[in-house]
Amino acid sequence: MQNLPHVDETRGKSILHRIWYSIFRSTPLPATALDRSQAVANNFFLHIHSAKVGERTLRFKTTLGLGLMTFFTFIILVVTGILLMFYYVPTPEQAYDRMLDLRSAVFFGSFLRNLHRWSAHAMVLLALLHMMRVFLTGSHKAPREFNWVLGVVLLLLTLFMSFTGYLLPWDQLAYWAIVVGTAIAGYAPFVGDEVRFIMLGDTQVGSEALLRFYVLHVAVLPAVLVLLIGWHFWRIRKDGGLARPREALAASAAASIPVPVPVPEPKDGDEPRNKDEPKDGDEPKDGDEDGGDGSKEKK
Amino acid sequence: MSKIETPDFERLPVNPDKTYGLMCVVPTRTEAVTIETEKQVLSWPEGLLRYLLVFLALFVVLSIISLVFNAPLEEPANALHPPNPAKAPWYFLGLQEMVSYSAFWGGVGIPTLLVLLAIAAPYLESKPGGEGVWFHSCRSAANWTFLTIMGTLGVLTLIGTLFRGKNWDFILPW
Amino acid sequence: MSEGNHGNQGKLSKERPPQEGGSRRRFIGLATAGALAVSGGALGLMAAVFFKPRVTYGPPPKFRVGKPASFTSGSEIAYQKQAVLVRREGNRFAAISTKCTHLGCTVNATDIGFLCPCHGSTYDRRGSNVSGPAPSPLLWFQLSLAPNGDLVVDKDKKVDPGTYLEIQA
Amino acid sequence: MQIRIAIIVIALVLVGVVAAIGLRTTSEQWHGYQQRYYKLAAQRTDNPAVKKAVRSAKLEIKQDIVKDFGKLRVDRCRTCHTAIDDPNFKTDSQPLRTHSAMHPHPFNEFGCTICHEGNGRGLTTADAHGTSHFWPEPLLVKPYIESSCVRCHSAPYPKGTPHLQRGERLFVQYTCVGCHTIQNVSRGKLGAELTDVGNRLKLKTIHAKIIDPKADVALSIMPTFTMPEVDRIDLVVYLKSRRGRAIIEDPISYRRHNKKWLATAAPEIPVNQTAGQNAFDRRGCLSCHKVAGTDGKLAPELTWLGRLRRADYVAEHLRDPRGHTPGSSMPTFYMSRSEREAIALYGQSLQQVSVPSQPAEQYKLLCVRCHGAKGDGKGLIAHNLVPRPRIFTNDRFFNWLPEQRAHTAIREGIAGTAMPPFKSILSMDQAKALFAHVRSEFIRKARPIRKSKRVIEPAPYGYSSAASSRGKGVFLKRCYGCHGRLGDGRGPNAPAMVPRPRNLRNHGFFARLTDARLYESIKYGIVGTGMPPWDMLTRNQRWDLIYFVRLLSKTGPAVKKGGQ
């Protein structure tokens, strides 16, 4: 092993210390600027985030916290969704009865189902609002075009996620929404009927459709969503953080497009380069509007 | 590495086996995303505390909603009796409203165009300016176009949600 | 990987930032942590109880076997599905598990006790393991009387071997 | 610092919210019921063993899983209704009350919802009793619970089901059998099939549909029967009990039984007046028609049927009412020829009528039921008649109508409609006086409509299929908007029109109509109705149209020649 700092620091300390540092690689409650930067950089979940952010980035007015909230609803949905899976059976005979069970016989089931359902609605709403925020602040423009495209795809996935979840209770609301929704898909030119047939696995909504929607809802779409959300966050850093008003930028060349500049001489107060992002330059000032996946590590 | 003066390794002793840094791969020049113009704060704790606040607020609001309103559960699915009206989830009611005029254009044509338009938006709006500012005057045309589209969808959604009753007839919600 | 950037880290200030109202801040921090721990704990606890089903769909552990009078004295009636044998001796009733304590085969009741067909364990009439690989006696379950006079076996409640329910019939 | 304060505030709110969640999650309605039961049960029992068992009982969800009867039932009713098998709770109020001893079905073998319906999985009152708008099977209470017996006990129904048995009789009595099919019971083809209506509709819906058939389906043709509420309840009990194949019946014997039933011919009866009267009563004719004091308030009065219609007319009408009088609301009953003839024979005996001398009294006796006391065409039964009765207040029409045609209509009736010929009741003079009365009473504006000289151009050629198909072309261009593509008087404009456009397929009506009158109607229109004068058509086009109408109504030479 190389002589990493914590190895030195913990040598001869208690086993608890050693376990802590074996996991987190930084002090539990970092108080100094260095420790705090380390805490962010050394953490699997936080390292996607820069160690420092612009003050403006954190201002509520800048983003209204919408992207972050969308992400948090997704986290809530994943947790409640996994719990609900323990009592759900994706068959037409059982699905509805399981809903009734969740409402009556399963302890805490009613609240979890409510939370899942309302969070799903909230996620769609928040994603839409987030999209509006991004557009209205011009944050989709170069160099952030592709992240906007990712965002559009994420929005569509969110809608599809919500739609597939809609069928699972197998009640009238679900059944007819799916009948109508898939019939709309059937109007797609040339491939419509095929697409509808493949979506339903049958000519009409039945047990095959329920199973397919279930698999999409609990496995395929969440996996794709997680992947794309990660990409979305990573792109925020790569694209230079939140969009800033031009007036706030130096009038010089490096406006919004990364341009090669000479390595500046290190000055006092320089930040440590993030280890994973050597290209970020000496001053990682990329704020992070959405990179909050570290909340669970926070406390 | 050679260009950077050897720092104080009191706390983080350098690994003697290490002979290169990634920066060395880049000859003489490196890329900076922007030039620092604003005040920076440490994301731990300033950022994370705010994230925590947002999360807690969101969770509290959703919990209260879940406590007060039960998730809807209607009759068991019955392929023989469509409810009247059979409505999709609210976010598709704009679509359903359009579908009630034309199945292809409302359900496939216009939505596809809108998605393509959304994807193309940043490429269409290529003139720089107005980034990071709410309703910047130099982007008013784009903003108004966007708001008009979203507003139209919103109005359609509202009509589909509130103003449509049995047999998809117009009704007043009050 | 992590060594590449050591170069700059030394430049970071190692002093603690000046604290405004240190003790107040600490109190708030502790209170917040406490409140979050309490709510998180409560939610976690409820989520944990969530996993324990309050109803099951298999054969119910608590089942009725009819009126005591329907058992003749000295009878032993085996309930295959529930793997329970109900015995009447005089006015005393008992419910004995017929599940072998070795590996769970169903034992057969005989005149002299119980025999396990799988690995040859034998038990006496009281259910005590006599020979074979069985490590412990057969379980005895609680018998009780429902208000309408039915005998109820509750497989969730074990009683000491030899515990009989006495009913003045 | 502000942010930290905000966080602690919201964290404290969270503690409160979580406490509320915890409270909601851990406090359940049934806890209280079970606690009360255990306390009372221990007090009331004398048996020490029971006392001990009850004292040590803990709160739990009690459920009965029943797989034997159709679908899987998970009934948790005993969680609240803990006392149903405890004989010490006979006089308590629900939920802690002993189940009535009348039924020999042990609840652990049958469950509860098989008889009581409701949501067996629910654990709150609203949920379990299915009072929510969304639960398809709300709890059945007396007397509706009788309908559940039929799940297993097919006819003859068991004791203790008086409402069910009466409902079965009422289903025939109110002639429901005429329109509705229930497999192995009735063969009506006009209304919805009711074989499994008990599975499909809630009590409330069935009830509401009988009270007002048009409330749910605006264009329903089912008439609104007047019946006392007790009858309606029993009918609902009977209808709720219709659940298709009973659980105990295996599919094969059900099909065998059904096949046999389908092949059963309608019973023959002797063709005489007494048998006819019996059939007339048994068939429930009076649940729609009126004879003397008994009035179903839905169909024409038959008190003097023998004076108006001949027996063969009645028998033919019974055989196929809607074919005979297109648009009639009367269903086709499954009757043998002998039964039809016997009823027709009985109809001939209905002669009793004492015609008052005053035209006003005559109008009250003979005309009010259809044309209405105010002459507005809104008589008691008007909405069941197709075409609707003439509206006397339509002064434009009646000022245009030649007087003599009105007199003929009274005396001869109007074929193909409900207007009967009164010639055996009213003399020509009486008819004239009656119409004079109608004119003075209702037709206010005596403003004669100027009649131009009517020129009826003679037919340039006779009927040919080429001519009628040319007529069809004109028809589809000019006439379909009102008369409908099929010529059945149900064009897209028809619903808004008063009077409705004529059904051009009404054989009876058009058989009486001369070509000349058809030509006149087309050329000059019919004043006071939606029929405009078709001036722009040529003579040949008009005749082509007439030939097409002849074809539609099967009154043309083509039919006589055995053409189309």
Side-chain angles (χ1 to χ4, degrees):
Chain A
M1 261 319 279
Q2 298 147 359
N3 46 350
L4 293 165
H6 51 273
V7 176
D8 280 346
E9 202 159 87
T10 56
R11 192 161 291 147
K13 294 269 176 77
S14 76
I15 184 71
L16 283 177
H17 265 84
R18 304 191 66 151
I19 291 172
W20 174 272
Y21 282 103
S22 74
I23 299 169
F24 291 107
R25 301 255 190 264
S26 55
T27 53
L29 282 172
T32 68
L34 175 63
D35 283 343
R36 286 172 167 178
S37 308
Q38 288 258 301
V40 172
N42 286 340
N43 186 294
F44 175 78
F45 295 103
L46 296 183
H47 86 271
I48 202 168
H49 203 285
S50 55
K52 274 193 157 189
V53 273
E55 211 175 28
R56 189 185 157 280
T57 301
L58 292 182
R59 244 176 262 150
F60 184 68
K61 192 197 143 201
T62 316
T63 62
L64 308 181
L66 288 167
L68 197 61
M69 285 198 259
T70 313
F71 175 70
F72 286 150
T73 49
F74 180 66
I75 297 291
I76 293 173
L77 283 165
V78 168
V79 173
T80 52
I82 287 173
L83 288 173
L84 290 174
M85 274 169 77
F86 280 91
Y87 284 102
Y88 181 74
V89 182
T91 64
E93 292 77 29
Q94 289 222 43
Y96 187 79
D97 286 345
R98 293 306 178 128
M99 293 298 121
L100 296 176
D101 277 2
L102 279 172
R103 204 162 72 175
S104 59
V106 176
F107 181 86
F108 203 39
S110 181
F111 176 78
L112 286 178
R113 191 173 98 82
N114 291 352
L115 188 60
H116 193 73
R117 182 79 167 223
W118 299 130
S119 299
H121 285 305
M123 184 171 170
V124 173
L125 184 67
L126 288 167
L128 280 167
L129 292 175
H130 173 58
M131 180 193 192
M132 291 182 74
R133 191 285 290 173
V134 169
F135 192 95
L136 295 177
T137 55
S139 305
H140 61 299
K141 298 174 75 172
R144 297 178 183 80
E145 310 101 310
F146 186 67
N147 215 13
W148 164 269
V149 174
L150 279 179
V152 174
V153 175
L154 277 170
L155 176 71
L156 295 179
L157 282 173
T158 306
L159 287 173
F160 197 40
M161 188 83 187
S162 193
F163 184 63
T164 50
Y166 215 71
L167 179 62
L168 303 187
W170 204 246
D171 62 350
Q172 284 285 70
L173 203 61
Y175 183 88
W176 290 99
I178 304 302
V179 169
V180 172
T182 51
I184 290 174
Y187 276 97
F190 312 120
V191 293
D193 286 339
E194 282 298 304
V195 166
R196 183 171 177 276
F197 183 67
I198 290 170
M199 270 169 89
L200 296 182
D202 198 344
T203 47
Q204 54 188 7
V205 180
S207 58
E208 293 301 313
L210 181 55
L211 185 60
R212 274 163 197 240
F213 276 49
Y214 176 72
V215 172
L216 285 174
H217 186 74
V218 305
V220 180
L221 293 175
V224 177
L225 262 178
V226 166
L227 218 70
L228 288 189
I229 288 174
W231 197 359
H232 197 56
F233 289 172
W234 180 77
R235 283 300 300 221
I236 298 167
R237 281 202 80 174
K238 288 283 118 179
D239 295 338
L242 288 194
R244 273 172 219 71
R246 326 203 105 223
E247 302 78 51
L249 298 171
S252 66
S256 58
I257 304 163
V259 291
V261 295
V263 178
E265 288 301 310
K267 306 168 289 216
D268 270 0
D270 259 0
E271 299 311 306
R273 249 180 249 114
N274 191 303
K275 289 156 198 173
D276 293 337
E277 323 289 355
K279 284 187 174 181
D280 253 341
D282 285 5
E283 299 125 353
K285 50 196 57 74
D286 26 2
D288 205 351
E289 60 177 326
D290 287 341
D293 40 350
S295 65
K296 57 185 78 158
E297 288 298 314
K298 177 61 186 68
K299 287 271 164 183
Chain B
M1 219 56 170
S2 56
K3 291 199 171 182
I4 297 167
E5 90 184 48
T6 313
D8 171 14
F9 284 125
E10 181 188 48
R11 205 183 148 88
L12 298 168
V14 79
N15 176 10
D17 303 336
K18 181 86 175 172
T19 55
Y20 63 93
L22 253 184
M23 288 307 292
C24 301
V25 178
V26 184
T28 67
R29 286 157 76 86
T30 186
E31 286 181 70
V33 175
T34 54
I35 289 178
E36 178 166 10
T37 54
E38 58 180 326
K39 200 181 161 204
Q40 303 270 314
V41 290
L42 283 166
S43 29
W44 182 309
E46 293 303 324
L48 296 183
L49 278 181
R50 281 171 175 79
Y51 302 163
L52 179 68
L53 179 66
V54 169
F55 175 74
L56 288 178
L58 182 79
F59 187 76
V60 164
V61 169
L62 288 175
S63 294
I64 290 174
I65 292 174
S66 306
L67 205 56
V68 178
F69 302 104
N70 274 329
L73 185 66
E74 294 196 352
E75 288 176 46
N78 183 347
L80 303 176
H81 288 278
N84 194 352
K87 286 194 179 183
W90 64 267
Y91 41 82
F92 282 143
L93 285 183
L95 205 66
Q96 200 175 338
E97 179 65 26
M98 291 197 288
V99 169
S100 68
Y101 300 108
S102 157
F104 172 75
W105 282 109
V108 182
I110 294 175
T112 309
L113 284 179
L114 285 179
V115 168
L116 290 178
L117 193 65
I119 288 175
Y123 302 99
L124 294 176
E125 202 188 343
S126 53
K127 205 174 125 212
E131 293 94 338
V133 181
W134 283 93
F135 302 105
H136 196 283
S137 53
C138 73
R139 295 187 57 250
S140 58
N143 280 340
W144 279 116
T145 314
F146 182 74
L147 280 177
T148 310
I149 293 172
M150 294 304 270
T152 312
L153 287 177
V155 167
L156 285 174
T157 307
L158 272 182
I159 292 175
T161 312
L162 298 175
F163 294 92
R164 289 297 194 176
K166 281 197 166 187
N167 302 322
W168 209 247
D169 286 335
F170 264 110
I171 52 147
L172 293 176
W174 44 82
Chain C
M1 182 88 184
S2 63
E3 297 86 334
N5 293 330
H6 279 175
N8 268 353
Q9 283 164 348
K11 292 286 178 194
L12 269 177
S13 111
K14 272 163 287 175
E15 288 84 48
R16 286 170 159 270
Q19 299 274 336
E20 352 106 33
S23 65
R24 194 165 53 129
R25 169 176 292 205
R26 174 170 298 179
F27 171 75
I28 289 176
L30 280 176
T32 309
L36 292 184
V38 167
S39 358
L43 287 172
L45 188 70
M46 285 190 275
V49 179
F50 168 85
F51 285 103
K52 189 189 169 196
R54 293 197 291 182
V55 293
T56 54
Y57 295 95
K62 199 170 170 182
F63 61 99
R64 294 168 182 237
V65 292
K67 301 272 186 290
S70 64
F71 297 83
T72 51
S73 188
S75 70
E76 285 189 338
I77 294 172
Y79 294 87
Q80 301 267 334
K81 204 166 78 180
Q82 289 93 351
V84 167
L85 177 136
V86 176
R87 172 187 290 168
R88 174 169 180 178
E89 289 174 4
N91 276 339
R92 306 191 308 159
F93 290 80
I96 304 167
S97 164
T98 56
K99 201 164 137 186
C100 180
T101 52
H102 176 221
L103 290 171
C105 292
T106 304
V107 297
N108 297 316
T110 66
D111 274 353
I112 50 154
F114 303 93
L115 292 177
C116 179
C118 295
H119 305 100
S121 300
T122 56
Y123 304 84
D124 65 10
R125 273 184 59 78
R126 201 167 168 272
S128 302
N129 46 329
V130 178
S131 65
S136 56
L138 293 173
L139 297 171
W140 284 48
F141 297 128
Q142 193 191 63
L143 264 180
S144 59
L145 207 54
N148 70 340
D150 277 351
L151 268 178
V152 181
V153 181
D154 190 351
K155 285 173 73 183
D156 280 342
K157 288 184 185 149
K158 290 156 194 79
V159 292
D160 293 331
T163 312
Y164 284 87
L165 176 73
E166 187 126 9
I167 293 169
Q168 271 69 45
Chain D
M1 200 61 196
Q2 280 168 342
I3 210 98
R4 286 159 205 267
I5 289 168
I7 288 175
I8 177 119
V9 168
I10 206 122
L12 292 176
V13 174
L14 179 66
V15 171
V17 171
V18 169
I21 295 168
L23 209 65
R24 165 75 68 87
T25 308
T26 51
S27 60
E28 308 220 32
Q29 197 186 354
W30 53 271
H31 288 179
Y33 296 143
Q34 277 192 18
Q35 277 161 352
R36 198 165 93 222
Y37 168 72
Y38 292 139
K39 208 175 124 201
L40 291 175
Q43 284 168 15
R44 291 181 190 181
T45 184
D46 303 325
N47 191 326
V50 171
K51 196 167 277 219
K52 192 178 151 225
V54 166
R55 282 225 174 100
S56 65
K58 60 178 200 286
L59 298 181
E60 63 183 0
I61 298 173
K62 297 165 192 277
Q63 73 177 11
D64 300 301
I65 299 178
V66 181
K67 294 172 184 156
D68 296 346
F69 308 106
K71 64 175 185 183
L72 174 88
R73 291 173 188 277
V74 178
D75 289 352
R76 303 190 177 123
C77 315
R78 288 192 299 119
T79 308
C80 294
H81 299 276
T82 326
I84 52 172
D85 61 341
D86 188 334
N88 296 331
F89 285 77
K90 284 192 173 118
T91 54
D92 288 63
S93 58
Q94 292 290 12
L96 298 182
R97 187 179 192 167
T98 314
H99 195 286
S100 74
M102 69 156 271
H103 84 119
H105 311 103
F107 58 82
N108 52 346
E109 286 170 35
F110 286 84
C112 309
T113 55
I114 188 154
C115 298
H116 292 271
E117 299 214 319
N119 169 14
R121 290 175 190 254
L123 285 176
T124 60
T125 308
D127 196 4
H129 292 187
T131 47
S132 136
H133 169 64
F134 293 124
W135 188 250
E137 301 173 341
L139 196 73
L140 291 180
V141 291
K142 280 177 188 170
Y144 301 108
I145 188 135
E146 286 174 19
S147 69
S148 292
C149 304
V150 186
R151 282 181 197 273
C152 303
H153 305 274
S154 47
Y157 303 122
K159 270 189 212 161
T161 55
H163 294 274
L164 175 68
Q165 292 174 20
R166 186 157 172 271
E168 188 180 34
R169 291 197 297 274
L170 291 177
F171 189 71
V172 178
Q173 201 67 58
Y174 281 107
T175 61
C176 311
V177 290
C179 295
H180 296 284
T181 291
I182 292 179
Q183 288 301 326
N184 300 344
V185 174
S186 68
R187 293 170 152 91
K189 287 284 183 281
L190 272 185
E193 176 157 354
L194 301 179
T195 306
D196 61 344
V197 67
N199 285 343
R200 288 189 284 113
L201 300 182
K202 294 185 190 186
L203 279 180
K204 223 167 68 183
T205 318
I206 300 177
H207 203 256
K209 275 182 183 270
I210 298 178
I211 290 179
D212 182 7
K214 289 182 175 59
D216 194 31
V217 182
L219 297 175
S220 166
I221 58 165
M222 174 161 159
T224 308
F225 288 88
T226 33
M227 60 175 84
E229 183 65 15
V230 282
D231 285 10
R232 204 175 289 127
I233 287 173
D234 290 355
L235 258 181
V236 172
V237 172
Y238 177 70
L239 289 174
K240 187 66 190 170
S241 75
R242 299 296 101 194
R243 295 168 184 280
R245 182 166 61 83
I247 296 166
I248 44 153
E249 214 167 1
D250 65 289
I252 294 169
S253 65
Y254 177 80
R255 287 175 73 92
R256 212 171 268 159
H257 180 193
N258 190 237
K259 211 172 155 188
K260 218 169 118 191
W261 175 80
L262 286 171
T264 318
E268 300 281 344
I269 62 168
V271 184
N272 61 45
Q273 205 175 304
T274 329
Q277 183 167 6
N278 287 341
F280 187 84
D281 292 343
R282 197 178 59 243
R283 290 286 180 179
C285 304
L286 291 178
S287 66
C288 297
H289 291 282
K290 178 181 179 187
V291 172
T294 319
D295 189 359
K297 295 180 181 170
L298 292 173
E301 179 159 8
L302 304 181
T303 317
W304 45 81
L305 178 66
R307 304 280 290 272
L308 303 180
R309 307 286 196 192
R310 286 178 21 213
D312 56 345
Y313 177 97
V314 177
E316 178 59 19
H317 191 74
L318 278 169
R319 190 182 67 78
D320 180 11
R322 286 162 76 83
H324 193 241
T325 308
S328 167
S329 304
M330 178 155 160
T332 310
F333 292 90
Y334 189 67
M335 296 181 181
S336 61
R337 186 192 183 86
S338 57
E339 189 172 353
R340 287 197 296 269
E341 282 170 2
I343 291 176
L345 209 59
Y346 168 66
Q348 289 306 297
S349 73
L350 299 171
Q351 300 266 349
Q352 186 196 8
V353 58
S354 55
V355 184
S357 54
Q358 288 303 311
E361 299 302 311
Q362 289 168 1
Y363 183 84
K364 257 183 209 161
L365 181 72
L366 304 173
C367 314
V368 161
R369 195 169 170 86
C370 302
H371 292 280
K374 293 176 185 162
D376 54 3
K378 288 179 183 165
L380 186 64
I381 66 165
H383 57 280
N384 292 320
L385 301 178
V386 175
R388 294 281 174 91
R390 280 282 176 213
I391 299 165
F392 293 138
T393 48
N394 182 350
D395 42 14
R396 279 173 59 74
F397 177 79
F398 279 98
N399 286 328
W400 166 87
L401 188 76
E403 195 90 354
Q404 169 251 333
R405 258 173 68 187
H407 300 155
T408 318
I410 295 174
R411 291 267 296 161
E412 305 292 333
I414 298 173
T417 76
M419 178 76 183
F422 286 104
K423 64 181 167 215
S424 70
I425 295 178
L426 299 173
S427 67
M428 194 51 170
D429 290 341
Q430 279 175 316
K432 279 178 181 169
L434 181 56
F435 187 68
H437 165 74
V438 166
R439 179 173 285 286
S440 69
E441 195 70 17
F442 308 118
I443 306 169
R444 293 279 176 209
K445 292 175 200 159
R447 191 177 37 162
I449 286 169
R450 188 198 294 261
K451 283 179 194 166
S452 56
K453 193 164 176 281
R454 308 255 147 157
V455 184
I456 309 299
E457 287 102 341
Y461 40 76
Y463 178 89
S464 68
S465 55
S468 74
S469 66
R470 279 198 305 276
K472 186 179 181 181
V474 179
F475 178 84
L476 290 180
K477 210 168 149 193
R478 305 284 187 191
C479 317
Y480 86 94
C482 301
H483 290 283
R485 245 165 221 291
L486 301 173
D488 55 5
R490 297 184 199 171
N493 305 334
M497 300 175 76
V498 180
R500 291 279 178 87
R502 187 66 68 181
N503 175 358
L504 304 181
R505 289 173 170 268
N506 189 334
H507 172 81
F509 182 81
F510 284 96
R512 293 278 195 91
L513 223 54
T514 59
D515 285 351
R517 245 188 79 189
L518 269 172
Y519 191 92
E520 193 191 328
S521 299
I522 295 172
K523 187 174 178 189
Y524 297 103
I526 299 171
V527 178
T529 75
M531 182 78 178
W534 291 99
D535 295 328
M536 75 281 274
L537 298 180
T538 64
R539 177 183 68 166
N540 288 8
Q541 281 177 320
R542 291 190 198 117
W543 279 104
D544 290 345
L545 269 178
I546 289 169
Y547 294 142
F548 179 60
V549 170
R550 289 296 179 204
L551 180 71
L552 279 180
S553 58
K554 300 201 172 82
T555 53
V559 181
K560 285 170 198 156
K561 272 186 264 165
Q564 265 191 296

